[in-house]
Amino acid sequence: MPREAFFNLKTEKRERIVDAGIDEFAEYGYQPASISRIVERADIAKGSFYHYFEDKKDLFKYILQLLGDMKLKILGPVLMEAGSRDFFDTVRDMYLNSIRWVLQEPKLMRISQSVMLDRELRNEVLEDNQQKAINYYLSLINIGVARGDLRQDLDRELTAHILLVLQFAMVDIYYEKHGQEIEETAFMSLAEKILNTIAIGIRNNQPSRRELLWTEKL
Amino acid sequence: MPREAFFNLKTEKRERIVDAGIDEFAEYGYQPASISRIVERADIAKGSFYHYFEDKKDLFKYILQLLGDMKLKILGPVLMEAGSRDFFDTVRDMYLNSIRWVLQEPKLMRISQSVMLDRELRNEVLEDNQQKAINYYLSLINIGVARGDLRQDLDRELTAHILLVLQFAMVDIYYEKHGQEIEETAFMSLAEKILNTIAIGIRNNQPSRRELLWTEKL
DNA sequence: TAATAAAATGACTATATAGTCATTTTAGAT
DNA sequence: ATCTAAAATGACTATATAGTCATTTTATTA
């Protein structure tokens, strides 16, 4: 947590420092990010940084927290309406909201990604953010099962992990195919395909000959 | 690629250098790995390092290549027998072979993971290794579809990506639940669950009342 | 206005890094 | 034994980093 001195700063300055941190972390990732560059970007003295924060990790955690709050603000409403819609419609809507947010705040997204994709960093720095994301999915899954959209016998925790992993993989797969520039409809079409895959699975449930004969009887 | 001088070295020294690199990369990851520490570990002069390699990335790529060769040696035979077994049996077998290899070479696995989980690094350094993994899965999928184990209408490239992502996520999920120490049967039980999820999907295909009535007629 | 406490500063220390290169060592050929 | 070319060396340069702290600036209170 930032020190008291940081919260006593005027909003403008506080935001300038946070922005500098966001720029630096988005450009270099966590490990190679440099406090010297951050203070230069923010136009504050080196000593001031250490009045406001314990160290680099302290600032980073704080930024992650801001980021988590933003995301929850965006995805909270989706969760509220989950009871009245098909599970997969809800998840699709969640993706849509996320991607629109990413398009507005690409830097924050890069930071969030860099954390989620690095287990070391995640363990060291993330603490409860990962669990928050899992819990969000768990809520959705519980509702989905209750609605009868999802199988009763799911390992819900595991399913939450799988959905979270796929959510992040989606961005990777998109980049690989379309390059770094995200376009909403193309992205959602990929999301649709991935959702469909996890929904009905990949195994061939080709009806047996006996089943086919029954169908023909209609 | 390492310089000629490196390949002229006696095997013992070459291995000492590679081992030093593996230790360093496994301990620190790519970015924070230090050439100074590597030469110290390997007990060679700084200048020698630059006779053997262009830079840190050069050594790293070389290690990744060794790693890829090892993995292919292990997983090649699995692919050969894929035609005669159910798709999911084959993938399960692949996981089993991989995990046994990991248990023998945990350092190499940590390096491989650190690459796969970091998109920046992957783009910069991996080049064809990711594509090799995707191609391996593509081969499996093609056989699986031909055998009738998998749906005809799959987007095979996408499915390969999903399977690869899940493969890596598996390790993460395992660590989170059981800690860093991997135990073969517990790991395979998790693998089984994940495979089952992707095989049949999560949507509830509860037969409708009309369908149930038909079934009762038998 | 004067006194005082909090905030801000940036030069400085100590340390680590990548990469270079003039010199020395080694090993093989004559 | 002598010569020669390749291999190995490690001190050195230039640069970057995190974190400190005595000093200065600012704002607030008396």
Side-chain angles (χ1 to χ4, degrees):
Chain A
M1 261 293 113
R3 300 181 198 279
E4 197 187 329
F6 176 71
F7 294 108
N8 293 337
L9 291 174
K10 285 182 196 157
T11 311
E12 189 275 326
K13 190 166 188 179
R14 228 169 40 226
E15 285 179 350
R16 212 172 64 225
I17 295 170
V18 168
D19 286 348
I22 289 172
D23 286 349
E24 177 74 10
F25 288 125
E27 187 169 341
Y28 293 92
Y30 175 71
Q31 293 278 12
S34 142
I35 291 176
S36 298
R37 272 195 303 259
I38 289 173
V39 302
E40 199 184 352
R41 284 180 200 261
D43 199 26
I44 59 170
K46 184 63 113 24
S48 302
F49 182 91
Y50 288 95
H51 278 187
Y52 306 146
F53 304 98
E54 195 134 345
D55 50 21
K56 183 166 73 171
K57 202 191 294 178
D58 195 22
L59 169 61
F60 192 64
K61 279 187 187 174
Y62 178 66
I63 288 175
L64 283 186
Q65 196 187 305
L66 292 181
L67 191 130
D69 293 347
M70 281 178 75
K71 195 151 194 181
L72 202 66
K73 220 185 223 165
I74 289 167
L75 296 185
V78 178
L79 187 56
M80 300 303 290
E81 293 177 11
S84 59
R85 299 156 64 197
D86 177 75
F87 175 82
F88 296 94
D89 287 340
T90 301
V91 175
R92 203 180 297 113
D93 194 28
M94 198 190 111
Y95 286 170
L96 190 60
N97 277 281
S98 293
I99 197 61
R100 283 182 179 156
W101 175 59
V102 171
L103 291 175
Q104 282 170 1
E105 305 280 354
K107 283 183 213 153
L108 293 190
M109 191 57 193
R110 287 201 54 198
I111 292 172
S112 149
Q113 283 255 331
S114 80
V115 181
M116 296 306 270
L117 294 177
D118 181 333
R119 177 161 25 83
E120 297 286 332
L121 185 56
R122 204 165 59 212
N123 292 341
E124 194 184 1
V125 116
L126 204 57
E127 286 169 358
D128 59 350
N129 278 43
Q130 153 95 352
Q131 197 52 50
K132 271 186 195 162
I134 293 288
N135 284 340
Y136 185 91
Y137 268 112
L138 268 179
S139 306
L140 287 186
I141 290 167
N142 286 332
I143 295 169
V145 172
R147 285 179 42 85
D149 298 335
L150 301 180
R151 291 195 282 117
Q152 296 277 349
D153 61 323
L154 285 184
D155 179 332
R156 301 181 190 193
E157 185 101 16
L158 179 61
T159 306
H161 271 101
I162 291 176
L163 288 173
L164 186 61
V165 161
L166 290 179
Q167 180 191 321
F168 280 97
M170 206 153 46
V171 181
D172 263 19
I173 295 172
Y174 184 92
Y175 282 166
E176 196 168 308
K177 203 163 183 181
H178 299 86
Q180 303 272 336
E181 209 59 52
I182 289 189
E183 199 272 309
E184 189 179 303
T185 59
F187 186 88
M188 286 310 293
S189 136
L190 174 63
E192 184 70 43
K193 274 169 136 180
I194 291 179
L195 270 186
N196 190 50
T197 304
I198 189 64
I200 68 171
I202 63 177
R203 186 184 275 295
N204 184 24
N205 287 317
Q206 204 169 19
S208 68
R209 180 160 306 172
R210 230 176 83 237
E211 288 166 338
L212 277 176
L213 288 175
W214 284 339
T215 318
E216 279 169 11
K217 275 204 268 186
L218 294 188
Chain B
M1 262 292 111
R3 300 180 198 281
E4 198 188 328
F6 177 72
F7 294 107
N8 293 338
L9 290 175
K10 287 182 194 155
T11 312
E12 188 276 325
K13 190 166 188 179
R14 228 170 38 227
E15 285 178 351
R16 212 172 64 224
I17 295 171
V18 168
D19 286 347
I22 288 172
D23 286 350
E24 176 74 9
F25 289 126
E27 186 169 342
Y28 293 93
Y30 176 72
Q31 292 280 13
S34 142
I35 291 176
S36 298
R37 271 194 304 257
I38 290 172
V39 301
E40 199 184 352
R41 283 179 200 262
D43 198 27
I44 60 170
K46 183 64 109 30
S48 302
F49 182 90
Y50 288 95
H51 279 187
Y52 306 146
F53 304 98
E54 196 133 345
D55 49 21
K56 183 166 74 172
K57 202 191 292 178
D58 195 20
L59 169 60
F60 192 64
K61 279 186 187 175
Y62 177 67
I63 288 176
L64 282 185
Q65 196 187 306
L66 292 181
L67 190 131
D69 293 347
M70 281 177 75
K71 195 152 194 180
L72 201 67
K73 220 185 222 166
I74 290 167
L75 296 186
V78 178
L79 186 56
M80 299 304 290
E81 294 176 12
S84 59
R85 299 155 65 196
D86 177 75
F87 175 82
F88 295 95
D89 288 339
T90 301
V91 175
R92 202 180 299 115
D93 194 30
M94 199 191 111
Y95 286 171
L96 190 61
N97 277 281
S98 293
I99 197 62
R100 284 183 177 154
W101 175 58
V102 171
L103 290 175
Q104 280 170 2
E105 304 280 352
K107 283 183 213 154
L108 292 189
M109 191 58 194
R110 286 201 56 197
I111 293 172
S112 150
Q113 283 255 331
S114 80
V115 180
M116 296 307 270
L117 294 177
D118 182 332
R119 179 161 24 84
E120 298 285 332
L121 186 56
R122 204 166 58 212
N123 291 341
E124 194 184 0
V125 115
L126 205 57
E127 285 168 0
D128 58 351
N129 278 42
Q130 153 94 352
Q131 197 52 49
K132 271 184 194 163
I134 292 288
N135 285 339
Y136 186 90
Y137 269 112
L138 268 179
S139 306
L140 287 186
I141 290 167
N142 286 332
I143 295 170
V145 172
R147 285 179 42 86
D149 299 334
L150 301 180
R151 291 194 281 118
Q152 298 276 348
D153 62 322
L154 285 183
D155 179 332
R156 300 181 190 192
E157 185 102 16
L158 179 61
T159 306
H161 271 101
I162 290 176
L163 288 172
L164 186 61
V165 161
L166 289 179
Q167 181 191 320
F168 281 97
M170 206 154 45
V171 182
D172 263 20
I173 295 172
Y174 184 93
Y175 281 166
E176 197 169 307
K177 202 163 183 181
H178 300 85
Q180 302 272 336
E181 209 60 50
I182 289 188
E183 199 274 308
E184 188 179 303
T185 58
F187 187 87
M188 285 311 292
S189 136
L190 173 64
E192 185 70 43
K193 274 170 138 179
I194 291 178
L195 269 187
N196 190 50
T197 303
I198 188 65
I200 68 171
I202 62 177
R203 185 184 274 296
N204 184 25
N205 286 318
Q206 204 170 18
S208 67
R209 181 161 306 175
R210 230 175 84 236
E211 289 166 337
L212 278 175
L213 288 175
W214 284 340
T215 316
E216 281 169 10
K217 275 202 271 186
L218 293 187

